[in-house]
Amino acid sequence: MNLTKKQMTILGSAVVAVVIIIGGIFFYRNAQPSADSAWKKYQEAWIKKDYESMYAMLSTQAKETHDHDTFIKKYQNIYDGIEASNIKIETKDILDNDQGKTAAYHLSMDSIAGPIAFDQTVEIVKEDGEYKLNWSYAQIFPQMQDGDGITISTEDAKRGDILDRNNELLATDGEVLEVGVVPGKLSSKNEIKTLAKRLDISADAIEQAMSASWVKDDLFVPVKTISKDTDFKYDDLPGVSVHSTTARIYPYKELCAHFTGYVQTINAEELEAHQGQGYTATSIIGKSGLESIYESKLHGQSGIAIQVVRNGSVVDTIQKSEVKNGANIKTTIDVNVQKKVYEQLKKDQGAGVVMKPDTGEVLALVSTPAYDPNDFSLGMSNEKWNELTKDSDNPLENRFTGLYAPGSTFKAITGVAGLDTKAMSAEDDLGQAANKKWQKDSSWGDYYVTTTTAYDGAANLENAMIYSDNTYFAKVALKMGASSYAKQLDAYGFNEKMDFPFAVKASSYGEASDLEKDITLADTGYGQGKLQVSPIHLTAMYAMIQNKGTLPMPYLLYQDGKAKVWKEQAVSETSAAIMQKDLIASYAQFGENPANAGGKTGTAEVGDKEIGWLCSINQDYAITLMVDHTENVGGSKYVVPLMQSLWRSLLE
């Protein structure tokens, strides 16, 4: 059939009109409210935790049963309390029912007790042309009825113990005493003042505890936790009561303080950082030492149950995670050795390290003065905190991880480096300094290397060690040259972070360009210059000499005597043997030597102060003792009797 142009135009217009009509009908239908769109909008608000928008979409019936504030607070309290996150809602179907529609859905979320998932339905009714939800408590969790609440019960995980190599407890959960008051039984304000004085806290702290909103006259109000061994008298105070409880305790107190560290109640920032790891607002967390370093292993996972409460009773459990106790940390420390080192240093600002030279096992790590970690874990008063932080001796400072100038103890290290590089032999006589001072040439101006003792005989390695001849080791360093000396020191672990649980900065001799300066290079040779060494690293280098030239890697986690190597044959066995013999000769000048130990003293000059050192070795132990501020007590001479006493105690 042939259509005229006019007929074609009429037909085209008709088709367009039909399309417009159909499109309008489609648009009208989709623009109208529907159960599907209402449910989708509600889902989006739910996932965003937009409780205001959710409430606005409830039916009249639901709003009459559940007021606005109750609805909002119910969701906020429950979802915040269980740490609801990653909410996902999958619509299974939307079906017709007598009231309108029913949406069947699957909800999943993560919570403090683990993943939660359930299937549920909700009615969608039409009111005044809009679709609304007939909400009930069962939308939160199917186990809930109107008026129900949610409680979170916690079964605390036992924190792992910190043990020494012989399974002695260094940190553990143990029995303590919780001291408190029963307000209604207090006789007067004087009783509070007396209690405050006996507990070494302020009366204001007790008053503040009693002012809490939950306090009643007949309730026990805890004010301080103390060790069960504390001699605490309270029989004459009728308003005071003592209960037994459990807390983190440190049986050896100051003895292992910087090593074990301490725990305290988690703060808000830490709680946020550890979200989802089983911590609550009342959890304890490691703040320093091994307690902090191995927190993830020691902490464990508390058992948490999310439960439905109806009329004051638990009626159902929504989700439960089982308690997982923390793992024990067994260390290489020998608390008996730790005790003996601490006894020598407890009156001073110092550090002590004892290591097994053939394995690298650390037997003692001491920093003095120390503090009692129980004061932190049981609750520290502001007065006690101020006392610690304002103490000029800095008892909170961990000295065994610090870097210090090693003084003449470093001559043994320069000596083996010189032997290995052939800069000198053990027999070479490098000449004593005239009038106890020496300089390379006139380019040094008025700078001289000085030494303290003139001696008979050759200026060879043995005599230089015995008489601590600064000029000898300055000459050895210069003979090696900056590049060769730096290469040797790097081979002993300098400028390299130690694989050790505590953060110990890498030992350093300054910048490479510093050693290019002859004076700095010479000073470095006898332990000054820009040398900075940690007591742990210095002990390992002395262990290297005893260990036939292999530098052990210091370690702290017990591995049944396994030897760990940091640098295999860092020094030749021949050079190590020569230095070991010379160290024995050096130590012999101090008199008795029943341990057949080698050793070298050192007095490092740092500005106006002096640091006294003594490093000593035999087949059983590599030991470093360091005492800061020895300028008025004889420098390293002050440390000699401490080391002698320590060796005697180790042989007992």
Side-chain angles (χ1 to χ4, degrees):
M1 177 179 65
N2 295 322
L3 298 177
T4 66
K5 185 175 181 181
K6 182 177 181 181
Q7 289 172 321
M8 288 288 290
T9 302
I10 293 171
L11 180 61
S13 299
V15 170
V16 170
V18 170
V19 170
I20 291 172
I21 292 169
I22 293 173
I25 294 171
F26 179 81
F27 175 80
Y28 175 79
R29 287 181 175 177
N30 282 277
Q32 295 302 302
S34 69
D36 296 64
S37 60
W39 171 239
K40 184 177 180 181
K41 185 178 178 182
Y42 188 85
Q43 280 181 278
E44 291 172 350
W46 197 347
I47 290 169
K48 294 177 181 177
K49 299 181 183 178
D50 182 0
Y51 308 130
E52 289 284 353
S53 296
M54 290 169 65
Y55 189 77
M57 287 184 271
L58 299 193
S59 67
T60 301
Q61 176 185 336
K63 288 182 177 179
E64 288 175 351
T65 309
H66 312 99
D67 67 86
H68 171 274
D69 289 349
T70 300
F71 179 90
I72 300 295
K73 289 179 180 178
K74 184 66 69 172
Y75 267 106
Q76 284 179 338
N77 292 342
I78 290 176
Y79 274 24
D80 289 352
I82 69 172
E83 296 183 10
S85 63
N86 196 27
I87 300 170
K88 296 178 181 178
I89 304 169
E90 178 187 356
T91 302
K92 296 293 187 181
D93 209 347
I94 296 183
L95 305 172
D96 292 327
N97 63 32
D98 294 340
Q99 304 297 320
K101 302 283 186 180
T102 297
Y105 62 92
H106 178 80
L107 184 144
S108 64
M109 67 174 72
D110 294 328
S111 79
I112 194 173
I116 297 173
F118 58 84
D119 292 317
Q120 183 59 293
T121 61
V122 62
E123 284 187 347
I124 307 174
V125 297
K126 194 170 186 180
E127 294 181 351
D128 300 328
E130 293 186 353
Y131 283 92
K132 303 287 186 176
L133 278 75
N134 267 340
W135 183 89
S136 70
Y137 276 52
Q139 304 308 314
I140 304 177
F141 294 116
Q143 298 93 326
M144 294 182 70
Q145 298 177 9
D146 282 4
D148 286 353
I150 294 294
T151 187
I152 299 171
S153 62
T154 303
E155 181 184 356
D156 290 334
K158 182 185 181 302
R159 191 173 180 84
D161 297 330
I162 300 176
L163 308 161
D164 89 335
R165 65 190 300 111
N166 300 309
N167 295 316
E168 288 290 321
L169 292 169
L170 307 181
T172 187
D173 292 350
E175 182 185 357
V176 295
L177 300 178
E178 192 171 51
V179 181
V181 297
V182 179
K185 294 183 179 181
L186 289 172
S187 59
S188 67
K189 291 281 187 181
N190 286 333
E191 190 172 348
I192 293 176
K193 292 180 180 178
T194 302
L195 176 62
K197 185 175 182 181
R198 292 180 187 177
L199 290 177
D200 193 24
I201 60 176
S202 67
D204 288 343
I206 299 176
E207 295 278 8
Q208 186 176 356
M210 292 170 56
S211 67
S213 59
W214 59 269
V215 172
K216 295 181 180 179
D217 281 352
D218 59 344
L219 292 181
F220 174 79
V221 182
V223 295
K224 187 174 182 180
T225 305
I226 61 175
S227 167
K228 69 174 184 176
D229 300 323
T230 303
D231 184 16
F232 174 66
K233 180 184 177 183
Y234 66 98
D235 292 345
D236 59 331
L237 303 174
V240 177
S241 181
V242 175
H243 296 172
S244 177
T245 187
T246 300
R248 194 66 163 175
I249 60 172
Y250 302 90
Y252 291 95
K253 300 181 179 180
E254 293 88 351
L255 194 71
C256 300
H258 293 92
F259 173 67
T260 61
Y262 59 87
V263 298
Q264 282 184 307
T265 303
I266 196 169
N267 61 38
E269 292 78 12
E270 291 165 334
L271 188 58
E272 183 177 355
H274 291 277
Q275 189 172 4
Q277 298 177 25
Y279 290 86
T280 67
T282 59
S283 294
I284 62 168
I285 191 169
K287 299 282 187 173
S288 71
L290 294 188
E291 291 278 30
S292 175
I293 293 167
Y294 292 113
E295 170 63 26
S296 61
K297 292 183 178 180
L298 291 165
H299 171 66
Q301 293 288 330
S302 296
I304 300 175
I306 301 172
Q307 298 172 312
V308 179
V309 177
R310 187 174 303 148
N311 298 323
S313 300
V314 173
V315 295
D316 209 338
T317 298
I318 292 168
Q319 180 59 290
K320 182 178 181 181
S321 61
E322 297 299 326
V323 64
K324 295 179 182 177
N325 290 330
N328 293 341
I329 300 295
K330 185 174 181 177
T331 70
T332 58
I333 293 294
D334 185 329
V335 75
N336 293 315
V337 176
Q338 180 88 2
K339 185 185 303 182
K340 291 170 181 177
V341 176
Y342 179 81
E343 283 299 314
Q344 303 307 317
L345 296 172
K346 64 183 180 181
K347 297 179 181 179
D348 300 300
Q349 297 179 52
V353 181
V354 181
M355 188 183 303
K356 288 178 71 70
D358 56 337
T359 65
E361 294 169 276
V362 177
L363 302 178
L365 278 178
V366 171
S367 178
T368 56
Y371 58 88
D372 186 349
N374 293 294
D375 289 337
F376 287 91
S377 63
L378 300 183
M380 180 178 289
S381 66
N382 289 333
E383 293 83 356
K384 184 65 177 179
W385 173 249
N386 290 333
E387 179 185 327
L388 282 173
T389 54
K390 293 179 181 179
D391 189 331
S392 60
D393 286 342
N394 298 320
L396 295 176
E397 180 182 348
N398 187 345
R399 290 174 168 83
F400 61 69
T401 61
L403 294 178
Y404 308 89
S408 293
T409 60
F410 206 71
K411 291 171 179 173
I413 311 306
T414 299
V416 292
L419 290 171
D420 268 1
T421 57
K422 310 298 184 185
M424 88 300 185
S425 71
E427 294 77 25
D428 286 350
D429 185 345
L430 302 189
Q432 291 192 49
N435 300 318
K436 302 180 185 178
K437 64 180 186 178
W438 172 85
Q439 61 179 197
K440 179 184 176 182
D441 53 43
S442 60
S443 67
W444 284 17
D446 59 357
Y447 184 82
Y448 290 84
V449 174
T450 60
T451 192
T452 58
T453 306
Y455 50 89
D456 296 328
N460 57 23
L461 180 58
E462 180 177 349
N463 282 334
M465 289 294 293
I466 292 172
Y467 299 105
S468 200
D469 188 345
N470 290 344
T471 60
Y472 178 92
F473 293 98
K475 293 173 182 177
V476 171
L478 290 169
K479 283 177 174 290
M480 277 189 282
S483 176
S484 178
Y485 192 26
K487 182 179 179 181
Q488 292 302 117
L489 296 186
D490 288 346
Y492 308 155
F494 274 74
N495 299 312
E496 182 178 331
K497 189 174 181 181
M498 188 186 304
D499 181 14
F500 196 68
F502 285 87
V504 181
K505 291 182 180 179
S507 295
S508 171
Y509 44 77
E511 299 295 330
S513 57
D514 292 327
L515 290 184
E516 297 291 342
K517 302 169 185 175
D518 282 349
I519 291 177
T520 303
L521 178 59
D523 287 347
T524 303
Y526 59 89
Q528 291 284 161
K530 294 193 174 183
L531 274 174
Q532 291 283 284
V533 184
S534 70
I536 298 172
H537 188 192
L538 187 57
T539 309
M541 287 189 284
Y542 267 75
M544 168 184 72
I545 295 169
Q546 179 68 44
N547 197 31
K548 300 180 179 180
T550 291
L551 180 68
M553 174 61 77
Y555 72 95
L556 274 176
L557 291 185
Y558 185 76
Q559 297 184 46
D560 198 23
K562 177 182 178 181
K564 284 197 170 185
V565 174
W566 188 356
K567 305 285 183 179
E568 187 76 49
Q569 219 59 60
V571 170
S572 70
E573 188 171 343
T574 300
S575 297
I578 292 171
M579 183 53 66
Q580 185 180 12
K581 175 182 68 68
D582 290 347
L583 282 169
I584 292 174
S586 173
Y587 192 81
Q589 67 180 307
F590 305 134
E592 60 174 307
N593 189 12
N596 193 34
K600 182 73 188 75
T601 55
T603 301
E605 297 177 359
V606 183
D608 294 332
K609 78 166 185 174
E610 293 181 354
I611 304 172
W613 295 85
L614 206 166
C615 295
S616 189
I617 51 173
N618 75 357
Q619 69 275 12
D620 297 315
Y621 304 105
I623 306 172
T624 294
L625 296 182
M626 181 275 287
V627 177
D628 206 354
H629 291 290
T630 56
E631 55 271 15
N632 297 318
V633 291
S636 62
K637 292 180 180 178
Y638 178 81
V639 190
V640 172
L642 304 182
M643 183 68 80
Q644 289 176 309
S645 178
L646 176 58
W647 274 118
R648 284 195 298 270
S649 67
L650 290 171
L651 294 174
E652 290 176 354

